[in-house]
Amino acid sequence: MTSTDDYTLREMMTVAAAREIRDGEIVFCGTGISMVAAMAAKHISAPNSVIFFETGAVDSLLEEVPMAVADSRVMFWTSVNGGLADAFATMQNPFTGPRVVGILGAAQIDRFGNLNSTVIGDYAAPRVRFSGSGGACDVASFVGRTLLFMQHEPRKFVERLDYRTSPGWLDGPEARQRTGLAGGGPAAVITNMAIMRFDEKSREMYLDGTYPGIRPEAVLDRMSFQVDVSRAKPVSPPTADELDILRRICDPQRLILG
Amino acid sequence: MTQSMDKVMSLPEAVRRFVPDGSHISIGGFTLNRNPMAAVYEIIRQRVRNLHLYAHSNGQGMDELVGAGCVARLEIAYGGTGRFAPTCIRFRKAVEEGSLVVEDYSNYQMTLRFMAGAMGVPFLPTRSGLGTDLLERWGFSEELRRSDPRIPDRKLSVIENPFGRWAGASRLVAVPAIHPDVTLLHVQQADAQGTARIQGLTFADVEQAKAARRLVLTCEEVVETEALRSDPDRNHIPFFNVDAVVPVPWGAYPTACFRYYDYDPRYLSDYRTYASSDEGWQSYLETFVYGVSGHEELLDRMGAERREAIRADGRTGYANNLDRR
């Protein structure tokens, strides 16, 4: 029997993300923790959710955790094995796109949930180069809502992105429609300390909940911009069942959970 | 594109004939799966230079070509190999030291660019990219764009919806077609004429194949034509697109090939260590690329036990319970 007092922050993040997934949603997974969250959601709150990859795999069984979205493990026991063109079309499609929840991560995020996964420093002569958009810009542009995974650090929660790779709520209310973007936008940011959401009117980030033992002020200390903390409530820790699902079923080798 | 009945040739010959210095190329696969690695290593061994590489998420093959100094310009969506290298190490190094000129796109944009090339239209539209720096920041200079007729004058263009608000869109991003001089793919099966079958996800291989002037296929097996034509619903590439068929068992190694073998976690972990320093990287190239005569010798050096460990299970298509730590 696993004890609920004994869990890592990575496990807390994964469970927090899994709880966000609604039954029946099509879950766009990236590499890493988002896959484990999507796998866990099927066992927790969303048994009819569909795991979906930009590489074209639909409803992968995932007997073993993939190390990348092109891992052969995503190709086993699917509904359909397609390609990139099918996968992104599904997300841009007016009937299927709104049913997709996308899970993304990034190097930097701003108060409107715009993401940078390209460079730190000047784009023409970057101090640090990251992988680039991959499918992130496409997903963030198309789907019904996105969940964002971030580490809470001042250099990651920034006033101004060094490069805007993927659109969040852009610069506030109505901005997405003005720009010509369909789809929803970021719904939540799940970090190693807290869950942030976006105000319905201003589209600005606010603190929605903190993990056990973490004060709202401590979260603010780890950000380069201020957010409203008045709505913050405690996030319940992972249950024994949730931890068991993560450890025994989803990632027994701890390839992703560490 | 050729009509000959027998396009089977050796890998050194295929690379010599179809990948000269300065070529615009694209390679198949995605991050750590079905990269045409044998072809990549042969390109490195032949010291081909000044390549213009079009990539969506061609992780391992892209990183090795860049690291070996074969690539001068790169158009790319994603430079990573999943958990083994969230950002490809030699790619990152080359960009940070300014030795590689990069133009960034998204995966869908790159896919549509290959598709436009395959379809013979100058561009395709998408709603992806609006409101981002993919539109605003360009990596290639105007001079560079003017200097090479194989590159369009613009990275991307925003267009008004010519049908008013039809389908709910006001503005769209037009992404320009790509016509690589040559695309290199690794597939599971082909016949001598070039009809090819891919198993598992096709990624953007078919679009890349059809966008290119020349197409080189490496394959796990050259099979009898009957084996493919008796079940044509499962075939992906018609023979008339194909210029060379090169039998290379384990030709995607150390990346995976669905239903044949998995990626080699040991190789990819060791690679990460070698690639993390300039000295390590040089010794990697000397030992595993320049230091072997071809893919067969690389595989011999890895040993039969290592190949057995990653051999695909008949039910799942990958190596079950492989130690991947």
Side-chain angles (χ1 to χ4, degrees):
Chain A
M1 197 63 197
T2 30
S3 153
T4 49
D5 298 335
D6 184 23
Y7 57 87
T8 66
L9 279 174
R10 227 170 145 71
E11 289 172 331
M12 178 74 243
M13 287 177 81
T14 311
V15 167
R19 290 172 183 165
E20 295 287 326
I21 294 167
R22 300 170 190 153
D23 200 22
E25 274 185 320
I26 301 167
V27 188
F28 168 94
C29 298
T31 298
I33 194 167
S34 67
M35 287 189 201
V36 182
M39 290 165 80
K42 286 183 78 89
H43 297 277
I44 299 171
S45 52
N48 301 303
S49 58
V50 176
I51 294 177
F52 170 76
F53 294 98
E54 67 187 287
T55 46
V58 177
D59 208 17
S60 312
L61 184 61
L62 300 186
E63 282 189 350
E64 296 185 20
V65 66
M67 300 286 266
V69 297
D71 194 310
S72 295
R73 284 157 192 76
V74 310
M75 305 180 192
F76 172 63
W77 210 265
T78 57
S79 166
V80 172
N81 275 341
L84 275 65
D86 311 314
F88 289 110
T90 295
M91 293 188 271
Q92 194 174 225
N93 177 304
F95 309 114
T96 46
R99 294 166 55 192
V100 178
V101 56
I103 312 181
L104 303 171
Q108 290 182 326
I109 186 169
D110 69 13
R111 67 174 63 249
F112 294 110
N114 303 300
L115 302 176
N116 172 15
S117 53
T118 304
V119 292
I120 299 295
D122 179 10
Y123 179 65
R127 223 166 44 247
V128 184
R129 172 71 208 202
F130 294 108
S131 59
S133 163
C137 174
D138 310 308
V139 174
S141 301
F142 297 155
V143 306
R145 60 196 195 101
T146 51
L147 306 173
L148 314 176
F149 268 123
M150 294 294 301
Q151 292 289 317
H152 242 121
E153 292 175 34
R155 66 192 178 125
K156 292 179 180 261
F157 282 74
V158 296
E159 196 65 59
R160 199 179 159 73
L161 302 177
D162 289 5
Y163 184 99
R164 190 192 279 173
T165 312
S166 307
W169 296 109
L170 299 176
D171 53 5
E174 309 302 319
R176 284 181 68 103
Q177 291 88 321
R178 263 201 318 277
T179 310
L181 285 173
V189 188
I190 292 154
T191 81
N192 51 331
M193 301 177 87
I195 298 176
M196 325 289 286
R197 294 188 198 278
F198 296 87
D199 185 80
E200 285 290 327
K201 288 212 176 64
S202 71
R203 298 300 191 192
E204 284 190 46
M205 190 186 292
Y206 68 89
L207 182 64
D208 181 64
T210 54
Y211 298 155
I214 292 171
R215 292 170 304 109
E217 299 71 38
V219 176
L220 288 179
D221 284 348
R222 306 291 292 163
M223 303 174 66
S224 293
F225 56 88
Q226 295 295 299
V227 295
D228 175 22
V229 299
S230 66
R231 287 172 262 184
K233 50 194 181 296
V235 175
S236 57
T239 66
D241 277 352
E242 287 168 332
L243 286 173
D244 183 55
I245 286 160
L246 285 191
R247 293 169 181 174
R248 193 173 50 81
I249 300 175
C250 300
D251 188 13
Q253 278 187 302
R254 297 195 79 82
L255 295 171
I256 307 293
L257 293 172
Chain B
M1 178 181 301
T2 50
Q3 298 293 354
S4 125
M5 289 302 287
D6 188 352
K7 300 168 189 166
V8 175
M9 66 183 77
S10 75
L11 192 51
E13 183 188 357
V15 169
R16 237 182 343 263
R17 278 176 60 179
F18 297 114
V19 195
D21 284 1
S23 299
H24 284 214
I25 79 167
S26 89
I27 58 173
F30 197 103
T31 59
L32 42 64
N33 211 307
R34 224 164 33 69
N35 282 221
M37 293 307 300
V40 163
Y41 293 136
E42 184 58 30
I43 290 171
I44 297 173
R45 260 191 302 275
Q46 292 192 18
R47 298 179 198 262
V48 180
R49 289 291 176 266
N50 201 27
L51 293 175
H52 186 114
L53 177 61
Y54 300 100
H56 43 85
S57 298
N58 309 100
Q60 190 66 22
M62 179 281 294
D63 199 47
E64 301 214 27
L65 285 173
V66 166
C70 303
V71 181
R73 299 185 299 264
L74 176 65
E75 306 195 32
I76 190 166
Y78 182 82
T81 47
R83 303 302 293 173
F84 292 98
T87 303
C88 285
I89 298 165
R90 300 315 295 179
F91 157 75
R92 173 180 168 169
K93 166 113 183 141
V95 178
E96 289 174 5
E97 72 184 19
S99 61
L100 180 69
V101 189
V102 179
E103 196 70 281
D104 275 281
Y105 291 89
S106 73
N107 264 342
Y108 194 38
Q109 288 172 345
M110 287 305 290
T111 304
L112 291 174
R113 296 187 65 200
F114 288 117
M115 192 184 278
M119 292 167 66
V121 293
F123 65 87
L124 280 171
T126 173
R127 302 173 81 154
S128 176
L130 294 167
T132 73
D133 282 330
L134 290 176
L135 271 183
E136 302 300 325
R137 304 299 305 270
W138 294 13
F140 291 177
S141 66
E142 275 181 47
E143 298 74 49
L144 169 58
R145 288 188 170 279
R146 272 198 304 268
S147 72
D148 189 338
R150 292 170 290 182
I151 324 175
D153 291 344
R154 301 179 56 79
K155 176 188 180 187
L156 295 162
S157 285
V158 175
I159 56 173
E160 298 298 313
N161 183 346
F163 298 92
R165 293 300 301 267
W166 177 242
S170 53
R171 303 159 77 230
L172 296 154
V173 178
V175 301
I178 294 171
H179 288 290
D181 295 318
V182 60
T183 286
L184 303 109
L185 306 179
H186 184 71
V187 302
Q188 279 86 352
Q189 297 179 333
D191 69 9
Q193 198 185 11
T195 296
R197 176 173 296 175
I198 295 170
Q199 291 175 276
L201 297 169
T202 53
F203 307 123
D205 281 20
V206 178
E207 291 83 359
Q208 289 176 252
K210 294 178 181 178
R213 283 179 183 80
R214 299 287 190 183
L215 177 59
V216 173
L217 300 181
T218 60
C219 58
E220 288 299 317
E221 300 179 78
V222 175
V223 297
E224 292 301 320
T225 295
E226 291 70 44
L228 298 178
R229 297 219 176 200
S230 60
D231 194 4
D233 301 5
R234 294 169 61 203
N235 301 341
H236 292 90
I237 297 169
F239 60 89
F240 55 58
N241 288 108
V242 178
D243 293 278
V245 175
V246 184
V248 191
W250 301 84
Y253 180 93
T255 70
C257 187
F258 190 57
R259 298 207 183 286
Y260 283 74
Y261 46 89
D262 220 320
Y263 46 81
D264 184 351
R266 253 176 78 192
Y267 193 105
L268 296 177
S269 296
D270 291 348
Y271 178 87
R272 180 174 51 208
T273 309
Y274 283 118
S276 295
S277 73
D278 289 344
E279 306 75 50
W281 176 245
Q282 278 319 312
S283 94
Y284 169 83
L285 285 178
E286 294 300 336
T287 311
F288 298 102
V289 189
Y290 300 128
V292 297
S293 56
H295 210 56
E296 210 171 338
E297 194 179 332
L298 175 68
L299 293 165
D300 281 348
R301 225 180 259 196
M302 294 302 133
E305 199 179 320
R306 199 134 149 205
R307 289 201 299 279
E308 282 314 308
I310 62 169
R311 200 179 283 283
D313 175 76
R315 184 182 68 97
T316 61
Y318 55 83
N320 302 340
N321 301 312
L322 176 64
D323 184 355
R324 296 179 288 147
R325 282 165 299 181

